[in-house]
Every structure is written in C-alpha cells, then in structure tokens.
C-alpha cells in the first residue's frame, strides 16, 4: 500500500470540503508514514484546516489519521 498526506480546506459553501494539496510518501511502512504525517503538520500551507493520512492505491484510499490544524 502507498501512503499520502493530504491538506484539506473548506470551499465557500459550508457543506463542502476538498483536498487542495497532497503528497505521496516514499514509504509503504505505516510507522514511517506517521512520522512524515506528524512532520507535515508544522508545514501546512496557508488555508489548510485539516490534515489527513490515507493509504491505498488507485481510487481506493482509506483514512488512517486526521487532525484539525
């Protein structure tokens, strides 16, 4: 499985959120992915409200962790 760190922000419509930046990690190890996720929290792009860590491939991704920024 691959891992991605995604930054999420809300749109102008209050009922819609979307991913506006994501980084595919170079590891398939969950422990290493979590370290990269924790490090990414401190470098969140402007406007990011949440961050999550997902794993999967293709169009099939599942959320592993999520935090509010």
């Amino acid at each position: 499985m691959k891992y991605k760190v995604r930054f999420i922000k809300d749109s102008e419509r209050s009922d819609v959120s979307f991913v506006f930046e994501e980084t595919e990690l170079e590891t398939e190890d969950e422990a290493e992915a979590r370290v990269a996720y924790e490090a990414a929290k401190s470098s969140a792009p402007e406007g990011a409200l949440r961050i999550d860590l997902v794993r999967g491939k293709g169009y099939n991704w599942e959320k592993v962790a999520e935090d509010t920024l």
Side-chain angles (χ1 to χ4, degrees):
M1 298 233 167
K2 295 207 177 248
Y3 289 86
K4 290 183 182 180
V5 172
R6 305 185 307 181
F7 291 99
I8 296 107
K9 74 182 232 178
D10 291 337
S11 72
E12 292 178 4
R13 292 180 40 197
S14 62
D15 60 333
V16 178
S17 296
F18 61 94
V19 174
F20 74 99
E21 186 175 312
E22 68 180 18
T23 303
E24 189 167 312
L25 303 175
E26 297 294 324
T27 183
E28 293 189 14
D29 178 65
E30 186 169 335
E32 288 180 24
R34 286 185 177 271
V35 168
Y37 169 75
E38 292 298 325
K41 287 181 190 179
S42 64
S43 62
E46 187 174 326
L49 299 177
R50 292 184 302 285
I51 182 175
D52 66 17
L53 175 65
V54 295
R55 70 176 163 217
K57 62 181 179 176
Y59 292 104
N60 188 18
W61 295 89
E62 76 175 290
K63 196 176 295 183
V64 177
E66 179 180 41
D67 285 295
T68 301
L69 298 172

